[in-house]
Amino acid sequence: MADIEMEIDGKVVSAKVGEMLIKVTDREGVSVPRFCYHKKLSVAASCRMCLVDVEGAPKPQPACSTPVAQGMKVHTQNDKAKASQKAVMEFLLINHPLDCPICDQGGECELQDVAVEYGSDVSHFSEGKRIVSDSDIGALIQTDMTRCIHCTRCVRFGLEIAGMMEMGGTGRGEHLKIEPFLREGIQSELSGNMIDVCPVGALTSKPFRYELRSWQMNSIPSIARHDLVGSNLFVQTYKGKVKRIASADNDWINETWISDRDRFSYEGLTHKNRLLKPQIKVQGQWKQVSWKVALDYAVKGLNSHVLKHKKANQLGGLVSSTATMEELYLLKKILTEVGCDNIDHRLNIKNLDNIITLDSNIKLDALEKIDYALIVGANIRLEQPMINHRLRKATKKGADIDVLNVMEFDFNYPLNAENITAPNKIASTLAGVLKSIMTNNVQELPNYLATIEVDEVANNIAVKLLNSSSSVIILGEHIINNEDASAIANLATIIAQSTNSKTLNLSITANTIAANLVGFVPQNSGMDVNTMLASEMRGFILLDIYPQHDFHHLETVVKAFTPDDTFVISLNSFKDDIITGYSDVILPIASVYETSGTQFNVNNDMQSYTAAVKAPDEVKPAWKILKVMADLLELPGFHYADSTQVLAEISHQPHTKHTHDGHINFTNKHNGIGVIWQNSPYSIDAVLRHSSTLQKTKIGQMNSACMNQASAEILGLSNNDKYLGVPVVITDTVADDCVFINTNHAINIQEQA
Amino acid sequence: MISTGAKKQIDAWIAKYPKDRQSSAVMQALKIVQAENGNRLNADTIQAVADYLNMPGIAAQEVATFYENYNHKKVGKYVIRFCHNISCMLNGADDLIAHLENKLGVKTDEVTSDGLISVKKVECLGACVGAPMFQINDDYFENLTIDKIDKIVDNLK
Amino acid sequence: MNEVCFKNLTKDQCYSLKTYEASGGYSVWRKILKGQLTPEHIIDELKVSGLRGRGGAGFPTGLKWSFMPRHSDGQKYVVCNSDEGEPGTCKDRDILRFNPHAVIEGMAIGGFVMNASVGYNYIRGEFMAPFYRFEDALKEAYEAGLLGQNINNSSVNFDLYTHLGAGAYICGEETALLESIEGKKGQPRFKPPFPANVGLFGKSTTINNTESFASVPEIINRGGQWFADVGVENSGGCKLFSVSGHVKNPANFEVPMGTPFKDLLKMAGGMRDGAQLKAVIPGGSSTPVLTAEVAMSMTMDYDGIEKAGSMLGAGSVIIMDESTCMVAVLTRLAHFYYDESCGQCTPCREGTGWLYRVLKRIIDGNGKQGDIDLLLGVQDKIMGNTICALGDAAAMPVESFLRNFRKEFEYYIKHGKSMVKG
């Protein structure tokens, strides 16, 4: 677009032809009041607050919907502009309650702010004010619709961003009411953003209701730690407690949105099950002790069970993917120093010879510019809400999206083809895609493709990939334990290379990339997690592990940790009976927002954060505990004053990088029913599982073992039964030979047995 | 919820609009469904229309509450929609409405005890040169007088 | 009188295809189908005719049609606005009932000129009899091979459908009407973009009033100059005036532009019961009210009425005699706008309710000193600040009633009762 020159309040500025005036004034730092305008939403031009005087126009013009032109002269402050702005302000206030002191939005209310500047001291309105009844719209958002100024940001958010129209404006005129349909409540996984976009106190955070005034809180920038995105956010704190989370802008990562998961998980921090003090088990009895006693006990135990006997090869270190990069590094360093190579973070993989190695080589903001995506094995909307949002934007610009899944899931955009297939057919379908592509490219076929049949599904996908100029292949969590996981990942890589496509690996989660970078995997000839669990070990150091959620086969895990002569040091944030059952020392560690650290997102963006609050009671950040343990073990090189020194040391280390080995081996002969077992979206880590409000939502309540009628008959199950402790749901949306489990419950040993 | 006959009528409206623009038919679909469900809409019927037209329930609800022709409360078999805008007012509509209310023993927005008739005061119906006037269901009645109203109403069964 | 839209009014079955064709109907359309007329020619004739939009805004129709990007790619639409609802207005209903084929032919001509192969006639939801009449006419036209695809092998396509409203005055605003056809609430769109660029279903669209479309065939048939000569300078042709209120014979009259108001009043039988004329709203409820004195010396054309201090609007002439309480009338109108505001933009949503409440309070005998200034202040704050014209339409009557009949309002506030009715 061509550049033009125009005048704003007498100052000459340059702009692009046709861009909206408000973008120009914002860029130039000229303050124009607004309510309905939001930079990430479509223009409504309905609040009329941004009216300004444009020379030559008889009426005042709204800055949000007036395209600029060469030579345009705009006055934002003259009598005409001011008169309109004051008029609109007065109209907005006549039916708005003037009870800011008791409103939850007080102090961060756009209406309040603008009223101070543009409002009048005296209201001429002496008729009765409008009162609007409220309805319960769900657990997360509190409504007070009498305060609503009908800006429709929440309505447009639903339509344009969440991809589901939930709020609407019913009635007309003065009776226009912003509300969802019926009493269904709000369901979107991004719904909390409505709180952020609402300029007034009509939509506020329900868990935060009546807690505090915004100005009483500190606002500390931080990073969301529940998924591979690392959304930027503000942690709002008061007297050392996290009180609320608000989104922060980062156009390359989360734009201005955050998922409900990231917004409301903080509630878990104050759950009654928080571990608050160190404790040791002496002769079968748990005792709360001081840190000194606990750490001495831990070090003594390690020495007496393991190190004294020079049996470091019978010590194991396991971590969950939620650990910070610094924690991962320090634990690895301790274990390496004592001569232990048995470390692993890949807790939920059944067969570690069959793993996914797939690069992610597309940026998050580039995802919305693709013209084709193939999603394999993901309920992407709930598993990766922010990444799904980017894909949704791509579809709005015309991108086609195909899925290859074991079950139909809810998508908030139209799919080109939703291919539902059994887990054991995914590899052969992708092989068919590759064969079709190679045939098209007149390439010599490798042996493993010789007997592959190219069906219509494979052929259609191949055509799409060949004809797209910017495509991406996305691999999701459901592939992790697929019998052909490695083959699927390698096929994806080769297909991408043959079609100039990008790949995105969403089979991993949280800080897994950091775990891979610091190399928290077996070193030299060390044991992997599954080998450790099957061996007689003398000791374990377990960081943030909850076996009944993190592993598939609980019984094996508990059996490995429990023997009397196996000394187990557990670092956890939450109490748990299973953990107390096998541990010898339990050290309470800081949870999210309570520690400094570093997170790697799917784009390899390294994001460090500081602690927003001090951990409660005697709880300490894990990196500090590990450092002190190292000191007590008299290990060299642990002189860190803070975690940034740990990070500085890491950045000087060579990184381990996995690439696919090009070896493809699949038999296509697996029989029987494939089970995909997954924690439901709000149960993927300990903090989330303790976030009481999230658990009340429909997504939080997800707990089902879905299968079709044929599979149910094979397994001898019907609708009211349980499968692996999870209620059976028979639905024809699941492929043959597949059970898809989404659970918010722990695995129970008895049910397994 | 939506009868086969009603679906056929709705389909005829859908056919008037471009492909994938079936929600253009929502206004008529709501009217058609209202007509076969006791002359009023409720959450279930609105949702059924939304589902049939593949649009969000709230979008159908917006339409159902924005336009005046939809009934959300109980109405009579015959709805007398009495214009009380300027031309009718100048020609004595207010007195005639009072007469009608008296005659039927109901106030506006109420239904006679036999469920037959309800009266609504409405804005201009676009028959100003025939003022005063009212509409009963689809039909207009113009140049009303007390006698004329009595005759019309007495014939409603 | 009655030369264009009402040409066949007195004939038997005036609405039938037979009657319409017998009086020259569809001859323009048939010439088009034979390739004997060009879009440029039609636009030129319309420009010469001085036809201005009959829905109220008075924008020159020929000019409007020339704005359509007829050579651009993609579907284009013509839309007829038969959502008649402005208090005092009831002319389009009669055109639909008595001359539906003129609307069809006018729309078809428009479709040809603007390269739009699909048209929609938006009829207000309450007009069921006119709707059925129009649908019958459509059926006749299709059966006669006048509409459809590749009509008479002319390679001209034109399909025409009706869309029925469901009760919302605001849908008479052209962009609200488009929203309504799209199955949404009738909330006006902000402009730009204008419908000629982004209209119905996002495509280029021209919207004209029923009377405008119905006038087109006769204008092209008899020539733009003929039509222009019927009227006066700046107001070509004849126009339908709906005369209602305190007159002996309220009716629609199609008379030449420039006809003196007092002649029109005479046509309507004069004042009822020999009463004195007190006030006239000349163009529908939104247009400023005039005193009898001013009205009696005015002519019925765009400039004449503007000179008198009001607007021609849709030609809806509301006559009020000396017994009329102006406070009551204004309160009634204020309620109308309050009820019909779509609620989307702030000044109208909040301002129309405010105006109505103050007036209601006055009518109920609870007026306060300062209420008149308050009303003037509120209407001034609505004026010019809204997305569409409904805000101004709600504001203008307030200003003009208070200016012309201020004493009645002062009396009502002071005494708690009407100066006129006692």
Side-chain angles (χ1 to χ4, degrees):
Chain A
M1 273 187 277
D3 286 326
I4 51 154
E5 278 198 343
M6 56 177 295
E7 247 178 58
I8 297 174
D9 297 336
K11 186 182 152 204
V12 177
V13 302
S14 60
K16 303 259 181 239
V17 171
E19 74 178 320
M20 293 305 155
L21 179 53
I22 205 163
K23 294 222 165 186
V24 183
T25 54
D26 279 358
R27 195 165 57 227
E28 295 296 328
V30 177
S31 153
V32 175
R34 83 288 303 270
F35 296 111
C36 67
Y37 176 78
H38 186 282
K39 62 186 175 185
K40 293 283 180 187
L41 301 173
S42 66
V43 170
S46 60
C47 77
R48 314 307 281 176
M49 194 63 221
C50 68
L51 289 170
V52 295
D53 180 23
V54 177
E55 279 187 26
K59 294 178 179 182
Q61 300 295 309
C64 66
S65 62
T66 301
V68 297
Q70 172 65 36
M72 188 184 252
K73 290 195 170 96
V74 177
H75 303 278
T76 69
Q77 304 287 325
N78 67 5
D79 288 351
K80 190 170 161 188
K82 282 274 177 197
S84 290
Q85 292 161 0
K86 276 180 177 284
V88 172
M89 195 66 232
E90 185 170 4
F91 284 132
L92 282 170
L93 291 178
I94 62 168
N95 276 312
H96 188 85
L98 299 180
D99 55 355
C100 308
I102 59 154
C103 173
D104 247 8
Q105 192 86 355
E108 53 182 356
C109 172
E110 294 176 41
L111 186 68
Q112 198 177 29
D113 294 347
V114 176
V116 169
E117 209 172 325
Y118 296 86
S120 167
D121 296 339
V122 191
S123 172
H124 304 103
F125 186 75
S126 58
E127 323 305 317
K129 277 183 186 266
R130 175 173 60 225
I131 292 172
V132 181
S133 62
D134 280 293
S135 48
D136 187 352
I137 68 165
L140 303 176
I141 302 174
Q142 178 64 44
T143 62
D144 192 339
M145 299 320 282
T146 300
R147 304 187 197 284
C148 174
I149 57 169
H150 310 93
C151 72
T152 70
R153 282 187 191 172
C154 60
V155 178
R156 284 174 285 146
F157 171 82
L159 265 171
E160 297 163 17
I161 307 298
M164 53 198 298
M165 187 181 179
E166 297 198 278
M167 297 295 263
T170 61
R172 74 181 183 208
E174 206 185 70
H175 306 291
L176 172 64
K177 186 179 174 189
I178 305 297
E179 59 181 351
F181 188 39
L182 312 174
R183 306 284 95 82
E184 222 177 38
I186 296 294
Q187 312 285 338
S188 164
E189 69 283 1
L190 301 175
S191 69
N193 292 297
M194 291 187 203
I195 296 164
D196 286 350
V197 299
C198 180
V200 294
L203 304 177
T204 53
S205 166
K206 207 172 214 173
F208 178 70
R209 196 172 197 212
Y210 299 144
E211 285 271 326
L212 283 167
R213 319 298 295 175
S214 66
W215 62 83
Q216 294 175 288
M217 298 188 289
N218 290 319
S219 207
I220 298 117
S222 192
I223 304 298
R225 291 171 59 188
H226 303 295
D227 60 29
L228 279 173
V229 172
S231 289
N232 291 195
L233 44 78
F234 289 108
V235 183
Q236 299 181 321
T237 69
Y238 178 71
K239 290 192 175 167
K241 291 260 189 307
V242 178
K243 288 295 179 183
R244 192 173 60 176
I245 302 292
S247 68
D249 288 357
N250 186 330
D251 264 351
W252 294 271
I253 294 178
N254 56 304
E255 299 178 75
T256 190
W257 316 116
I258 56 175
S259 62
D260 287 355
R261 191 162 64 187
D262 291 342
R263 185 183 301 272
F264 294 105
S265 67
Y266 74 91
E267 278 194 292
L269 298 178
T270 48
H271 195 278
K272 62 176 174 24
N273 283 358
R274 269 309 286 273
L275 280 168
L276 297 173
K277 293 186 190 325
Q279 46 194 298
I280 58 175
K281 188 155 64 182
V282 184
Q283 288 160 355
Q285 294 297 310
W286 280 101
K287 271 173 61 179
Q288 284 192 355
V289 293
S290 70
W291 272 104
K292 187 172 182 327
V293 172
L295 287 170
D296 281 345
Y297 190 77
V299 168
K300 229 166 86 189
L302 271 184
N303 278 324
S304 63
H305 282 75
V306 185
L307 304 178
K308 194 175 81 184
H309 309 289
K310 307 253 182 248
K311 292 287 186 188
N313 61 345
Q314 282 178 271
L315 175 63
L318 298 174
V319 296
S320 111
S321 59
T322 51
T324 70
M325 188 180 209
E326 291 80 353
E327 291 161 3
L328 290 157
Y329 176 78
L330 288 178
L331 181 54
K332 180 187 174 186
K333 189 172 170 183
I334 288 174
L335 292 167
T336 307
E337 286 295 330
V338 301
C340 166
D341 291 329
N342 311 322
I343 55 176
D344 216 336
H345 68 91
R346 302 161 302 171
L347 309 183
N348 62 343
I349 299 178
K350 285 178 187 161
N351 177 3
L352 285 162
D353 292 330
N354 178 31
I355 56 165
I356 294 169
T357 43
L358 182 72
D359 289 335
S360 292
N361 54 15
I362 183 165
K363 293 282 173 195
L364 291 169
D365 59 335
L367 270 179
E368 62 187 64
K369 299 184 188 91
I370 53 127
D371 58 10
Y372 176 70
L374 171 64
I375 300 171
V376 183
N379 183 2
I380 195 161
R381 179 171 171 190
L382 296 186
E383 287 159 10
Q384 301 288 350
M386 298 312 301
I387 290 174
N388 185 63
H389 163 63
R390 297 280 189 175
L391 290 174
R392 183 169 182 281
K393 283 173 92 177
T395 63
K396 286 176 89 178
K397 294 175 200 156
D400 279 338
I401 296 193
D402 285 346
V403 301
L404 189 55
N405 267 341
V406 298
M407 178 178 174
E408 290 174 21
F409 299 110
D410 269 343
F411 284 84
N412 52 2
Y413 41 80
L415 295 172
N416 180 54
E418 184 169 20
N419 305 300
I420 304 303
T421 188
N424 60 14
K425 301 254 166 60
I426 289 176
S428 56
T429 303
L430 287 179
V433 173
L434 180 59
K435 186 170 182 174
S436 174
I437 289 165
M438 294 182 88
T439 311
N440 178 82
N441 293 350
V442 206
Q443 283 171 281
E444 197 180 325
L445 296 178
N447 284 339
Y448 64 84
L449 293 179
T451 59
I452 291 294
E453 279 179 37
V454 181
D455 62 9
E456 201 189 331
V457 169
N459 198 49
N460 289 343
I461 293 170
V463 169
K464 275 284 174 195
L465 284 164
L466 285 164
N467 292 335
S468 298
S469 55
S470 56
S471 53
V472 61
I473 301 171
I474 299 170
L475 228 54
E477 288 178 31
H478 311 167
I479 306 300
I480 298 172
N481 282 309
N482 193 294
E483 308 252 14
D484 299 317
S486 167
I488 289 170
N490 288 339
L491 281 164
T493 304
I494 300 170
I495 293 169
Q497 284 164 354
S498 322
T499 53
N500 210 9
S501 299
K502 302 287 185 190
T503 51
L504 188 63
N505 182 0
L506 303 182
S507 71
I508 49 177
T509 179
N511 215 10
T512 306
I513 291 176
N516 283 329
L517 282 170
V518 304
F520 207 95
V521 285
Q523 301 295 296
N524 308 313
S525 56
M527 288 183 264
D528 66 29
V529 53
N530 293 343
T531 314
M532 289 182 231
L533 295 177
S535 308
E536 286 191 7
M537 304 293 281
R538 287 168 176 262
F540 280 105
I541 301 177
L542 306 175
L543 178 54
D544 206 22
I545 283 174
Y546 300 84
Q548 68 277 40
H549 297 282
D550 293 340
F551 293 88
H552 277 258
H553 206 259
L554 182 58
E555 203 183 7
T556 318
V557 180
V558 172
K559 217 171 123 191
F561 292 165
T562 306
D564 280 350
D565 53 356
T566 307
F567 188 75
V568 178
I569 302 171
S570 288
L571 290 83
N572 286 93
S573 300
F574 294 91
K575 285 178 204 158
D576 187 297
D577 287 347
I578 303 254
I579 294 171
T580 41
Y582 59 67
S583 300
D584 295 282
V585 185
I586 298 178
L587 304 174
I589 60 166
S591 187
V592 293
Y593 310 133
E594 295 169 351
T595 180
S596 57
T598 300
Q599 180 99 351
F600 269 76
N601 76 358
V602 71
N603 281 167
N604 281 344
D605 294 322
M606 186 181 91
Q607 301 192 90
S608 293
Y609 43 85
T610 57
V613 288
K614 197 182 154 294
D617 208 330
E618 293 189 33
V619 178
K620 303 268 184 230
W623 75 266
K624 275 192 188 166
I625 299 168
L626 293 169
K627 179 230 173 314
V628 176
M629 268 175 67
D631 291 345
L632 291 172
L633 285 164
E634 296 175 348
L635 303 175
F638 284 84
H639 302 296
Y640 310 107
D642 60 49
S643 70
T644 61
Q645 293 176 350
V646 183
L647 182 63
E649 187 175 307
I650 300 171
S651 44
H652 289 102
Q653 305 281 321
H655 291 322
T656 326
K657 192 162 165 64
H658 294 268
T659 46
H660 88 106
D661 51 13
H663 180 70
I664 293 179
N665 177 21
F666 63 96
T667 59
N668 194 24
K669 276 181 191 154
H670 316 297
N671 289 318
I673 289 185
V675 179
I676 294 172
W677 186 95
Q678 208 187 20
N679 289 314
S680 57
Y682 294 166
S683 300
I684 54 173
D685 63 42
V687 191
L688 280 164
R689 288 190 291 268
H690 290 90
S691 308
S692 52
T693 312
L694 278 179
Q695 296 309 318
K696 286 181 203 151
T697 64
K698 202 170 162 189
I699 298 171
Q701 296 285 310
M702 283 170 69
N703 189 41
S704 59
C706 294
M707 63 195 78
N708 67 15
Q709 186 63 44
S711 304
E713 277 165 24
I714 294 169
L715 295 168
L717 293 167
S718 56
N719 258 324
N720 294 320
D721 294 341
K722 286 192 171 180
Y723 181 71
L724 297 179
V726 183
V728 168
V729 173
I730 297 176
T731 158
D732 59 9
T733 59
V734 186
D736 283 337
D737 299 330
C738 178
V739 179
F740 188 88
I741 300 176
N742 230 312
T743 181
N744 59 358
H745 278 60
I747 313 181
N748 180 317
I749 291 187
Q750 276 163 355
E751 278 157 1
Q752 273 202 326
Chain B
M1 189 69 63
I2 307 179
S3 71
T4 318
K7 281 182 180 166
K8 227 172 123 186
Q9 288 181 60
I10 296 170
D11 290 345
W13 281 96
I14 292 173
K16 296 179 172 204
Y17 308 101
K19 195 176 162 285
D20 297 333
R21 292 287 187 170
Q22 68 272 24
S23 57
S24 281
V26 66
M27 289 160 68
Q28 286 317 302
L30 288 169
K31 272 198 202 172
I32 291 161
V33 171
Q34 172 171 276
E36 69 170 21
N37 284 279
N39 209 4
R40 63 191 281 208
L41 293 171
N42 61 31
D44 294 337
T45 45
I46 292 168
Q47 186 64 52
V49 167
D51 291 344
Y52 191 69
L53 298 173
N54 194 22
M55 63 195 286
I58 181 67
Q61 170 78 349
E62 281 190 341
V63 169
T65 54
F66 184 87
Y67 296 95
E68 194 269 340
N69 292 176
Y70 306 112
N71 305 313
H72 299 271
K73 291 193 182 120
K74 192 173 175 226
V75 293
K77 180 180 170 196
Y78 299 100
V79 182
I80 301 182
R81 307 174 74 242
F82 216 128
C83 173
H84 69 144
N85 211 300
I86 181 162
S87 302
C88 290
M89 173 203 184
L90 293 173
N91 285 295
D94 291 340
D95 290 344
L96 294 181
I97 293 170
H99 168 76
L100 183 61
E101 287 176 337
N102 260 338
K103 180 179 168 61
L104 296 172
V106 293
K107 293 271 167 215
T108 43
D109 298 324
E110 292 175 356
V111 190
T112 53
S113 54
D114 56 3
L116 194 66
I117 300 169
S118 52
V119 184
K120 234 174 162 178
K121 276 195 248 183
V122 300
E123 298 296 353
C124 183
L125 288 172
C128 313
V129 299
M133 62 80 62
F134 61 45
Q135 180 182 20
I136 302 180
N137 297 354
D138 283 356
D139 301 318
Y140 275 28
F141 298 86
E142 301 176 45
N143 302 309
L144 296 172
T145 59
I146 287 181
D147 287 350
K148 213 167 160 184
I149 290 173
D150 286 350
K151 257 185 224 149
I152 293 164
V153 171
D154 290 343
N155 279 326
L156 295 177
K157 285 187 191 73
Chain C
M1 199 165 123
N2 292 355
E3 283 199 78
V4 180
C5 298
F6 273 7
K7 198 164 93 168
N8 298 328
L9 195 62
T10 54
K11 292 179 187 153
D12 187 36
Q13 295 209 319
C14 59
Y15 45 83
S16 71
L17 179 61
K18 207 171 124 199
T19 310
Y20 185 66
E21 290 209 279
S23 65
Y26 286 115
S27 58
V28 176
W29 184 235
R30 287 188 193 281
K31 273 188 209 164
I32 287 172
L33 295 177
K34 284 183 199 141
Q36 294 167 350
L37 285 174
T38 64
E40 292 74 17
H41 168 80
I42 293 167
I43 285 176
D44 286 346
E45 287 297 320
L46 284 178
K47 281 182 180 168
V48 170
S49 77
L51 175 66
R52 293 168 62 170
R54 297 301 195 222
F59 193 84
T61 306
L63 199 58
K64 189 173 189 172
W65 286 17
S66 72
F67 288 160
M68 272 287 270
R70 70 178 311 275
H71 296 294
S72 68
D73 290 341
Q75 181 67 52
K76 285 169 272 296
Y77 295 101
V78 286
V79 173
C80 177
N81 184 345
S82 300
D83 189 46
E84 189 167 54
E86 168 99 349
T89 317
C90 55
K91 65 193 179 63
D92 297 334
R93 172 173 174 244
D94 281 1
I95 296 174
L96 293 172
R97 287 196 296 172
F98 304 130
N99 198 3
H101 284 287
V103 181
I104 295 172
E105 188 180 7
M107 289 186 71
I109 295 168
F112 167 72
V113 168
M114 293 175 277
N115 198 14
S117 62
V118 178
Y120 290 97
N121 185 12
Y122 187 112
I123 299 177
R124 70 173 289 178
E126 293 82 358
F127 281 176
M128 291 310 286
F131 163 71
Y132 291 125
R133 180 64 61 75
F134 187 80
E135 285 278 286
D136 288 346
L138 263 185
K139 206 171 152 212
E140 280 185 311
Y142 267 102
E143 281 167 2
L146 291 163
L147 297 174
Q149 297 292 303
N150 189 20
I151 308 164
N152 280 337
N153 289 320
S154 61
S155 79
V156 174
N157 303 321
F158 191 70
D159 279 306
L160 181 50
Y161 308 102
T162 44
H163 182 97
L164 259 182
Y169 165 69
I170 191 60
C171 290
E173 199 278 347
E174 61 177 18
T175 57
L177 183 145
L178 297 181
E179 290 282 299
S180 188
I181 298 181
E182 292 183 6
K184 302 178 204 154
K185 296 189 285 180
Q187 290 186 335
R189 300 173 180 172
F190 60 84
K191 287 133 258 185
F194 291 92
N197 296 314
V198 183
L200 183 60
F201 305 124
K203 310 290 186 190
S204 293
T205 303
T206 289
I207 304 120
N208 283 113
N209 169 255
T210 319
E211 185 183 352
S212 307
F213 275 124
S215 302
V216 168
E218 195 67 13
I219 290 171
I220 306 303
N221 222 352
R222 295 174 74 170
Q225 195 56 52
W226 163 79
F227 190 76
D229 292 345
V230 170
V232 293
E233 200 186 338
N234 219 13
S235 300
C238 45
K239 158 101 192 75
L240 281 166
F241 290 95
S242 311
V243 184
S244 70
H246 294 138
V247 289
K248 233 176 238 149
N249 304 312
N252 285 312
F253 303 94
E254 189 173 41
V255 297
M257 288 286 204
T259 301
F261 166 76
K262 58 180 192 312
D263 293 356
L264 187 64
L265 184 58
K266 222 176 275 167
M267 286 179 217
M271 298 303 292
R272 192 183 302 156
D273 304 330
Q276 285 292 310
L277 177 68
K278 176 177 183 176
V280 178
I281 296 176
S285 64
S286 316
T287 60
V289 66
L290 301 172
T291 59
E293 195 189 0
V294 172
M296 288 306 277
S297 62
M298 128 184 114
T299 56
M300 300 306 287
D301 56 279
Y302 290 102
D303 294 349
I305 299 181
E306 199 178 317
K307 218 169 74 193
S310 189
M311 292 185 295
L312 182 133
S316 324
V317 187
I318 304 161
I319 307 290
M320 289 168 268
D321 71 16
E322 60 206 329
S323 72
T324 312
C325 172
M326 300 310 273
V327 183
V329 171
L330 183 61
T331 307
R332 190 74 270 298
L333 292 181
H335 181 272
F336 171 71
Y337 292 105
Y338 159 69
D339 201 36
E340 297 290 353
S341 166
C342 82
Q344 149 175 240
C345 72
T346 309
C348 180
R349 179 184 64 243
E350 306 295 343
T352 51
W354 195 352
L355 288 175
Y356 170 65
R357 283 196 176 78
V358 174
L359 283 161
K360 179 77 172 51
R361 188 160 47 69
I362 295 171
I363 277 281
D364 289 345
N366 300 316
K368 290 188 289 206
Q369 231 194 343
D371 276 349
I372 291 180
D373 288 341
L374 175 60
L375 287 167
L376 288 170
V378 173
Q379 71 83 25
D380 185 53
K381 286 171 202 157
I382 300 173
M383 196 80 180
N385 288 336
T386 52
I387 290 180
C388 80
L390 193 139
D392 292 358
M396 280 189 293
V398 174
E399 190 277 333
S400 62
F401 272 71
L402 288 170
R403 177 162 39 80
N404 287 317
F405 303 97
R406 189 174 178 118
K407 279 209 172 68
E408 277 191 47
F409 287 83
E410 284 170 347
Y411 184 94
Y412 215 127
I413 290 167
K414 196 168 169 197
H415 301 283
K417 59 180 187 176
S418 171
M419 192 166 102
V420 184
K421 306 259 176 188

